[in-house]
C-alpha cells in the first residue's frame, strides 16, 4: 500500500510487525529504553539509606537505592566479578552494603567495592573501577528517572521539554506539588500488549465515548473524540453538573493548594515519552510508569497521589480512584485486543489513523527516527 | 612499638590498616574516642576488618557479618568461631603506635597458608 492510495482522511499506522517482531523490540530496548530518561521509581518509596528497588530498563536490571547522604543512586544490577545478579527481589532494604550472594563481593551504597574474600591480597584491584556500574539518575516531581546511556541528552531538554511542549511551561505541573503528595493507591497492571499500543491509546480519545462511559460522563468533551493533548495548555473541562473527578461525578477530595483557577475543574493528560503518562486533576495526580518486558507484554504501574493530609486522614478515596482504574482496565483490554491483531496478515501493512488520531503519526515517526529505520 | 598513623589522620568512627606487618593490624578509633588494635584479618575468611563496620566497641566483618569485641577480640556473632588477636595501642606526640601481641594469630585457612 502506498500512501497515495489512501483517502485524504487517513494516514497509515506502523506495520503490524512493529508490534510483534522480537528484532524490532530488541532495537527499541537499545535505542529507546536504554538511551532515554525513563521514570522508574517514586522517590518516597526509597524511604531511607539502603532501601532499594530493582527495575527493568530495556534489557538491563537496574538497582535503585538511597545512599548514606540521602542522594539517590542507580547501578546495573550485576556483580563485577562473575556477573551474578546482586538482588533479585523487586524491593527491599540493606543495612549498609550490597553483597553478591555468590562470592560475597560487597559494595557500599555508592557502588564502591569495599570487600571481597582475599581482596587485601589483591591491592591492584581498584575499588571504584571494580565497583558497581553507575547509571545516570535524576529526581524530579518526587520521582526518579534513570538513563543508561553514557552521555545522556540533558534531562531538561528530553523530559522537561516534553512537559513544556504540552503545558506551555513547567510551572503548570509544579502547581500540583507532586513531590509532596501522598500515595493513596498503587495498582500494577500486567498488560499483554506492545508498549506502543498503550502509548498510542493514551494519545487519542477517538475511543473514549465507546469504551470509557464513566470518563465521558465526567468530561463530556471527550465524546467529541479529540485528545486533550492536541493543543498546548488545553485542559478538558468537567461537565457542568459534575462535582469532581470521580466515578459517579460526586465531589472529590480537597483541591491541591497550588492548583490555579484556570486549572480547576479540568483534566490534563500528558504523554512523557517513552514510558510515562501524567494525569492532572484538581485534587489528585495519576501517574503511569511502563516497563516493557517483551514485545507483547508491558507492566504498567499506576500511582494515585492526593494531598498528604487527605491520604493521612484515611478518608474513603475509592470513588476518585475507581474512575481512572476503570479507564485503565478499559484501555488495557483494548490494547490486548489490538495486540491479537498485530500478527494477522490483515494488518501486515498496518491500519489507518483518522484525523483525530493523525498526531499519532508523529509518534510513529519519532519511534522510527529513534530506531534509525524508515518505512520507505 | 610500631608507628601506625597520625592520630589526626584517624577520625572517630574510622579504621587504619597497618599493612607493614604480617599479618596486618587494624587500628580503630571508636565514636567514644577509644583506640583499639586487632588483627585485621577476620578469623573466618580472609577479609579486612578495617573495611568492616565499627559500632561501639564492636567491629562487623564486611563479608559475613561476624562481629568481634575490640576490647577482648572475642566473637560476638558468628560465623567466626575463633577470637581475633588484640594488640596494645599507645599515642605519643600525636602518633598512634601499636604494641604487637606475642600470642599466635588466629588466621583463616587462606591467610594462614600465605603467612606461614
Amino acid at each position: 500500500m502506498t500512501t497515495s492510495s489512501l483517502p485524504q482522511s487517513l494516514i497509515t499506522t506502523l506495520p503490524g510487525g512493529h508490534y510483534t517482531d522480537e528484532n524490532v523490540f530488541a532495537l527499541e530496548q537499545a535505542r529507546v529504553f536504554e538511551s532515554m530518561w525513563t521514570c522508574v521509581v517514586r522517590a518516597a518509596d526509597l524511604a531511607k539509606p539502603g532501601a532499594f528497588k530493582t527495575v527493568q530498563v530495556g534489557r538491563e536490571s537496574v538497582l535503585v537505592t538511597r545512599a548514606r547522604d540521602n542522594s539517590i543512586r542507580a547501578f546495573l544490577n550485576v556483580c563485577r566479578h562473575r556477573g551474578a545478579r546482586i538482588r533479585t527481589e523487586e524491593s527491599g532494604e540493606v543495612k549498609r552494603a550490597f553483597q553478591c550472594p555468590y562470592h560475597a563481593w560487597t559494595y557500599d551504597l555508592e557502588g564502591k567495592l569495599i570487600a571481597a574474600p582475599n581482596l587485601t591480597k589483591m591491592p591492584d584491584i581498584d575499588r571504584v573501577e571494580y565497583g558497581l556500574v553507575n547509571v545516570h539518575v535524576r529526581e524530579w516531581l518526587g520521582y526518579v528517572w534513570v538513563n543508561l546511556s553514557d552521555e545522556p541528552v540533558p534531562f531538561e531538554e528530553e523530559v522537561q521539554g516534553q512537559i513544556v511542549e504540552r503545558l506551555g511551561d513547567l510551572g503548570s505541573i509544579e502547581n500540583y506539588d507532586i513531590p509532596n503528595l501522598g500515595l493513596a493507591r498503587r495498582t500494577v497492571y500486567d498488560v499483554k500488549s506492545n508498549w506502543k499500543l498503550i502509548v498510542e491509546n493514551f494519545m487519542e480519545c477517538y475511543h473514549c465515548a465507546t469504551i470509557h462511559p464513566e470518563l465521558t460522563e465526567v468530561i463530556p468533551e471527550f465524546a467529541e473524540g479529540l485528545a486533550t493533548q492536541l493543543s498546548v495548555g488545553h485542559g478538558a473541562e468537567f461537565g457542568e453538573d459534575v462535582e469532581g473527578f470521580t466515578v459517579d461525578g460526586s465531589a472529590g477530595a480537597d483541591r491541591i493548594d497550588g492548583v490555579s483557577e484556570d486549572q480547576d475543574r479540568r483534566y490534563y493528560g500528558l504523554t512523557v515519552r517513552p514510558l510515562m503518562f501524567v494525569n492532572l486533576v484538581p485534587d489528585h495526580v495519576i501517574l503511569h510508569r511502563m516497563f516493557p518486558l517483551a514485545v507483547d507484554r508491558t507492566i504498567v504501574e499506576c500511582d494515585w497521589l492526593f494531598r498528604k493530609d487527605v491520604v493521612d486522614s484515611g478518608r474513603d478515596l475509592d470513588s476518585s480512584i475507581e474512575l481512572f482504574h476503570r479507564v485503565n482496565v478499559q484501555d488495557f483490554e483494548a490494547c490486548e485486543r489490538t495486540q491479537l491483531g498485530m500478527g494477522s496478515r490483515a494488518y501486515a501493512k498496518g491500519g489507518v489513523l483518522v484525523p483525530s488520531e493523525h498526531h499519532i503519526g508523529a509518534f510513529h515517526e519519532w519511534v522510527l527516527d529513534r530506531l534509525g529505520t524508515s518505512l520507505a | 612499638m610500631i608507628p601506625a598513623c597520625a592520630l589526626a589522620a584517624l577520625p572517630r568512627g574510622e579504621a587504619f590498616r597497618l599493612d607493614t606487618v604480617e599479618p596486618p593490624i587494624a587500628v580503630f578509633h571508636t565514636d567514644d574516642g577509644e583506640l583499639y588494635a586487632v588483627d585485621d584479618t577476620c578469623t573466618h575468611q580472609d577479609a579486612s576488618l578495617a573495611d568492616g563496620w565499627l559500632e561501639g566497641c564492636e567491629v562487623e566483618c564486611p563479608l559475613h557479618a561476624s562481629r568481634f569485641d575490640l576490647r577482648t577480640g572475642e566473637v560476638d556473632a558468628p560465623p567466626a568461631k575463633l577470637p581475633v588477636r588484640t594488640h596494645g595501642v599507645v599515642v605519643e606526640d600525636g602518633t598512634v603506635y601499636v604494641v604487637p601481641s606475642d600470642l599466635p594469630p588466629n588466621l583463616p585457612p587462606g591467610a594462614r597458608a600465605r603467612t606461614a
Side-chain angles (χ1 to χ4, degrees):
Chain A
M1 186 191 293
T2 60
T3 46
S4 59
S5 70
L6 281 178
Q8 272 212 325
S9 301
L10 302 177
I11 63 171
T12 55
T13 66
L14 293 173
H18 278 246
Y19 303 85
T20 58
D21 186 334
E22 303 284 351
N23 296 321
V24 171
F25 186 68
L27 212 52
E28 288 171 347
Q29 288 180 310
R31 298 188 184 172
V32 181
F33 316 139
E34 294 169 25
S35 303
M36 294 186 71
W37 291 101
T38 54
C39 180
V40 290
V41 169
R42 182 168 174 260
D45 290 341
L46 303 173
K48 58 179 187 178
F52 70 85
K53 286 207 144 204
T54 58
V55 292
Q56 190 70 26
V57 179
R59 295 158 296 188
E60 300 280 3
S61 172
V62 177
L63 184 57
V64 188
T65 190
R66 196 178 283 282
R68 294 248 153 259
D69 63 359
N70 269 313
S71 66
I72 292 191
R73 308 291 178 109
F75 315 104
L76 298 185
N77 190 9
V78 178
C79 184
R80 297 299 307 283
H81 173 221
R82 296 274 298 283
R85 185 160 290 190
I86 304 280
R87 303 299 305 212
T88 51
E89 324 86 304
E90 279 183 11
S91 64
E93 196 179 311
V94 295
K95 202 169 165 195
R96 27 200 176 200
F98 289 103
Q99 185 171 66
C100 177
Y102 191 2
H103 300 90
W105 276 41
T106 305
Y107 307 88
D108 68 16
L109 300 181
E110 284 79 37
K112 185 180 154 195
L113 178 66
I114 49 170
N118 313 321
L119 185 62
T120 57
K121 302 287 190 298
M122 303 175 277
D124 53 338
I125 296 182
D126 185 285
R127 295 179 175 208
V128 173
E129 176 69 27
Y130 284 89
L132 295 174
V133 174
N134 264 282
V135 167
H136 296 278
V137 173
R138 181 71 185 259
E139 196 178 338
W140 188 52
L141 301 177
Y143 280 79
V144 178
W145 274 260
V146 296
N147 189 315
L148 271 54
S149 61
D150 293 332
E151 290 179 26
V153 170
F155 183 84
E156 290 74 12
E157 190 180 316
E158 192 173 283
V159 178
Q160 295 179 333
Q162 291 188 65
I163 309 279
V164 173
E165 199 176 300
R166 167 71 183 90
L167 294 178
D169 56 37
L170 290 181
S172 296
I173 196 168
E174 285 162 357
N175 284 355
Y176 290 81
D177 197 25
I178 302 175
N180 295 313
L181 299 181
L183 180 68
R185 183 82 55 88
R186 169 170 298 156
T187 301
V188 180
Y189 305 87
D190 189 341
V191 187
K192 308 286 185 296
S193 152
N194 183 270
W195 69 282
K196 295 190 297 295
L197 292 178
I198 301 174
V199 173
E200 292 161 15
N201 173 78
F202 190 80
M203 289 179 72
E204 52 94 355
C205 210
Y206 186 48
H207 66 270
C208 287
T210 306
I211 72 170
H212 299 316
E214 303 88 351
L215 181 65
T216 309
E217 281 291 321
V218 173
I219 302 175
E221 73 170 69
F222 279 170
E224 296 167 38
L226 295 172
T228 62
Q229 315 194 1
L230 281 174
S231 51
V232 178
H234 176 69
E237 207 165 1
F238 294 1
E240 267 179 35
D241 50 348
V242 167
E243 290 182 67
F245 194 77
T246 56
V247 73
D248 53 5
S250 60
D254 299 323
R255 196 167 96 180
I256 297 163
D257 289 331
V259 170
S260 70
E261 288 306 317
D262 291 349
Q263 292 171 318
D264 198 12
R265 295 182 57 78
R266 284 179 187 273
Y267 162 91
Y268 297 83
L270 293 81
T271 307
V272 186
R273 292 182 306 274
L275 296 172
M276 184 193 198
F277 308 139
V278 185
N279 308 269
L280 307 168
V281 290
D283 63 331
H284 64 287
V285 171
I286 304 149
L287 198 144
H288 298 79
R289 286 164 288 141
M290 284 177 278
F291 300 90
L293 298 187
V295 69
D296 56 358
R297 184 175 174 213
T298 308
I299 301 292
V300 185
E301 273 192 45
C302 185
D303 289 351
W304 280 263
L305 307 159
F306 293 75
R307 275 168 50 157
K308 229 173 229 156
D309 59 326
V310 168
V311 176
D312 292 344
S313 74
R315 66 173 279 186
D316 186 353
L317 296 168
D318 282 355
S319 62
S320 296
I321 293 167
E322 180 64 16
L323 176 53
F324 223 90
H325 170 64
R326 282 195 201 176
V327 170
N328 285 338
V329 170
Q330 292 155 349
D331 278 336
F332 300 152
E333 276 177 8
C335 292
E336 291 187 340
R337 180 182 291 270
T338 307
Q339 182 68 35
L340 297 176
M342 293 296 103
S344 166
R345 66 193 167 91
Y347 208 75
K349 290 175 180 168
V352 291
L353 299 168
V354 301
S356 64
E357 300 171 314
H358 279 188
H359 58 293
I360 293 173
F363 170 67
H364 293 152
E365 279 170 30
W366 175 84
V367 171
L368 294 175
D369 187 51
R370 293 237 35 127
L371 303 191
T373 56
S374 71
L375 292 178
Chain B
M1 207 159 77
I2 306 163
C5 61
L7 181 59
L10 184 60
R12 291 182 184 198
E14 297 287 315
F16 177 81
R17 184 170 185 267
L18 178 62
D19 57 4
T20 54
V21 294
E22 196 55 54
I25 292 171
V27 184
F28 295 92
H29 196 175
T30 70
D31 288 333
D32 291 338
E34 300 292 330
L35 290 162
Y36 298 101
V38 299
D39 279 343
D40 181 55
T41 309
C42 178
T43 62
H44 168 248
Q45 188 180 18
D46 182 6
S48 165
L49 293 176
D51 286 335
W53 291 282
L54 179 60
E55 250 179 38
C57 287
E58 270 189 335
V59 65
E60 179 178 313
C61 176
L63 279 193
H64 303 108
S66 296
R67 295 173 78 95
F68 300 93
D69 188 320
L70 294 172
R71 294 166 298 193
T72 62
E74 290 300 320
V75 175
D76 283 350
K81 292 193 178 83
L82 299 173
V84 281
R85 195 170 55 157
T86 59
H87 307 277
V89 183
V90 175
V91 179
E92 269 182 26
D93 298 331
T95 300
V96 179
Y97 295 87
V98 171
V99 185
S101 163
D102 295 331
L103 301 170
N106 288 322
L107 295 175
R112 200 178 301 148
R114 246 170 300 234
T115 55

